[in-house]
Amino acid sequence: MATALPTTDRPDRLAEKHRSTLDQALATIRTRAYWSPYPEHPKAYGEDGSLDAAAGLAAHKALLNTRFELDQPGTDGWTGGEVSPYGPELGIEYPHADIDVLLPAMRAGTAAWRDAGAEIRALVCLEILSRISARTHEFAHAVMHTSGQAFMMAFQAGGPHAQDRGLEAVAYAYEEQTRTPAGRAGWSKPQGKRDPLELSKEFTPVGRGIALVIGCNTFPTWNGYPGLFASLATGNPVLVKPHPRAVLPLALTVSVAREVLAENGFDPNLVALAVERPGEGIAKTLAVRPEVRIIDYTGSTEFGDWLEANARQAQVYTEKAGVNTVVVDSTDNYKGMLANLAFSLSLYSGQMCTTPQNLLIPRDGITTDQGPKSYDEVVADLAASVGGLLGDDARANGLLGALVNPDVKARLEAAAGLGEVALASREVVNPDFPDAVVRTPVIVKLDGSKPDAQAAYFSECFGPVSFAVSVDSTADALELLRRTVREKGAMTVGAYTTSDETERAVEEVCLEESAQLSLNLTGGVYVNQTAAFSDFHGSGGNPAANAALCDGAFVSNRFRVVEVRRQA
């Protein structure tokens, strides 16, 4: 029998508040239509208990230079050290956990969480997301000052878009768990003249064990929420190990989750935080603990490959890196193509796993609605479009944000020596944060046929760096695209063409190599942006990632169905 919640009206109250949202999410992942229950506009907040802009900023400031209390078991000290990419030190200390104490405590509440059933788990997760949503302004400042995103991007990507991804994971988790009927099912097998064989069967989704979420620096909530909520909704305790430079957004998340779990009669230790001391490097230690049965990771290919090879006791879901490519064959909207690409290259200083890196352009040029354009003209016009977009420093700061760490700056500076610079990077001053490192993108021209150029464009160069690669033909571009996706992986592929034949050919490459494709984007949708409930982030079918956010495969192996048969 399912364990009852201490207050009997809690399931009804949760259902009244959130069941319609869950139903809409379930419907939308089937229709793939646009939908979001979480407001994108900052002015939508401030009512119904949510924090408006002033209250959110005040809440953020109140956390600075304090200790972030969580009341977790096994706290053996305090640690911190986050410095905003915009300059200021956050001064926040977080509890440091003795893992040998914390992990057993996390498992203590698993039975009650399992017995609550898929619906209650989903509704509790939706309550967590609802409370996070009410504090979106506060979370936005936390994301901004740990990732370097500009405020509006931190607000939207770190707030409602991340919450959408969390809700999407809950919906998929609920759908997968309820494929098998809940409760007892009768089974009767006729035996001719003899009495039938009869059994009573009960099926229970059971989580695998402790799930470890290894957070990233650039999108701590957007990349962290799918795994966190997929594991929690399928019955697993979740240990969140943030990136040491981006602890605050996930610490806030853990705090909200623990509060909601406790209020609804569950052990708050079902969600816990593991913050490392400087240089401690606890991710590898945690990843191979026998208690850890699920791992979600976003970050470098090197560590993702290590996890896949060494964390053998766990189901490992990785989003690593790739070399994202755009094939430019032809266009009937040259101005729109340039504007779309310019924005895609500039957004968040290219510090997105979906930002295009390689632009493959035939050396003989392309056809456009403005007449033929040579390779040199296309590259020069794109450079001018980026320069125009970022010519005003205020707008540039709003799009670029700040470089998240010194490694990005080093790659940007080194890229200028790899080929002919079509667009030089320039420094942008942020008057509100004079210590912020803000740089515009660099575009480097490379001859795709030369071996030294291949070494450059065949390596991931994370940050505001793009290579305009000249190729002999569109056919050669497609072969290079195929090789790139197969060997290096790609989170995104873009293409521009007016040819039905070329469109079919690039589609075929992406279908065969499992890469997500965007065709002829010239408006306000960009190749490096995806919408929850509709778009899949990654495919899980090429080296860039072994999972997609979000599909049934992302959640279905986080639990197993255990059957109990009884003689009727």
Side-chain angles (χ1 to χ4, degrees), residues 126-423:
L126 264 63
E127 177 64 17
I128 296 170
L129 286 164
S130 175
R131 295 198 193 181
I132 291 171
S133 175
R135 296 168 63 177
T136 291
H137 274 281
E138 179 185 2
F139 273 77
H141 290 285
V143 171
M144 174 182 175
H145 285 290
T146 53
S147 72
Q149 295 175 30
F151 178 77
M152 274 305 299
M153 185 175 189
F155 183 91
Q156 293 184 336
H161 296 172
Q163 296 151 22
D164 284 341
R165 283 297 184 189
L167 174 56
E168 178 185 44
V170 173
Y172 273 103
Y174 178 81
E175 184 166 73
E176 292 299 319
Q177 290 174 97
T178 54
R179 290 186 185 279
T180 303
R184 294 190 179 183
W187 183 86
S188 180
K189 180 179 180 181
Q191 296 292 299
K193 294 181 179 180
R194 292 175 294 171
D195 292 338
L197 299 176
E198 294 187 344
L199 294 174
S200 172
K201 302 183 180 185
E202 190 171 8
F203 305 93
T204 303
V206 177
R208 283 186 170 271
I210 292 175
L212 173 65
V213 174
I214 302 175
C216 69
N217 196 173
T218 49
F219 289 88
T221 55
W222 198 98
N223 281 111
Y225 283 6
L228 192 164
F229 284 99
S231 288
L232 190 61
T234 50
N236 304 280
V238 181
L239 179 61
V240 179
K241 205 296 291 182
H243 190 283
R245 288 193 291 264
V247 178
L248 182 56
L250 292 178
L252 287 169
T253 302
V254 169
S255 177
V256 173
R258 291 173 63 85
E259 174 186 89
V260 170
L261 286 164
E263 287 182 11
N264 286 280
F266 297 105
D267 190 335
N269 296 319
L270 287 166
V271 179
L273 188 72
V275 183
E276 59 192 289
R277 296 188 176 106
E280 187 177 8
I282 61 173
K284 281 190 174 181
T285 301
L286 290 170
V288 296
R289 292 279 302 215
E291 304 96 326
V292 172
R293 305 303 301 277
I294 300 166
I295 298 173
D296 286 277
Y297 167 76
T298 299
S300 71
T301 298
E302 181 183 9
F303 190 59
D305 289 345
W306 184 92
L307 287 171
E308 292 171 2
N310 291 278
R312 308 299 296 177
Q313 85 292 349
Q315 287 292 126
V316 178
Y317 300 88
T318 59
E319 182 200 308
K320 296 175 288 190
V323 177
N324 301 318
T325 301
V326 176
V327 175
V328 182
D329 168 73
S330 54
T331 181
D332 58 7
N333 186 350
Y334 187 61
K335 182 178 179 181
M337 179 188 78
L338 294 175
N340 193 279
L341 285 173
F343 188 93
S344 297
L345 301 183
S346 302
L347 184 62
Y348 186 31
S349 301
Q351 298 171 121
M352 304 172 69
C353 63
T354 50
T355 300
Q357 175 179 301
N358 294 343
L359 310 175
L360 309 185
I361 307 167
R363 65 182 78 256
D364 291 336
I366 67 173
T367 59
T368 80
D369 56 319
Q370 298 183 16
K373 297 288 182 179
S374 68
Y375 164 82
D376 287 333
E377 287 177 310
V378 173
V379 179
D381 290 343
L382 178 58
S385 187
V386 174
L389 176 68
L390 303 176
D392 176 76
D393 281 2
R395 180 164 62 176
N397 276 303
L399 283 174
L400 296 170
L403 298 189
V404 71
N405 61 51
D407 291 341
V408 176
K409 182 172 179 284
R411 282 192 292 270
L412 171 63
E413 293 171 346
L418 297 175
E420 179 186 345
V421 175
L423 177 67

Side-chain angles (χ1 to χ4, degrees), residues 20 39 85 102 265 294 414 549:
S20 62
L102 180 59
I294 300 166
L549 305 181

Side-chain angles (χ1 to χ4, degrees), residues 59-78:
H60 171 71
K61 288 183 175 180
L63 292 171
L64 303 180
N65 303 303
T66 65
R67 281 187 168 177
F68 196 102
E69 300 280 355
L70 281 176
D71 192 28
Q72 290 185 170
T75 297
D76 60 7
W78 297 84

Side-chain angles (χ1 to χ4, degrees), residues 80-93:
E82 291 160 293
V83 178
S84 169
Y86 289 94
E89 294 184 7
L90 302 192
I92 304 173
E93 288 189 312

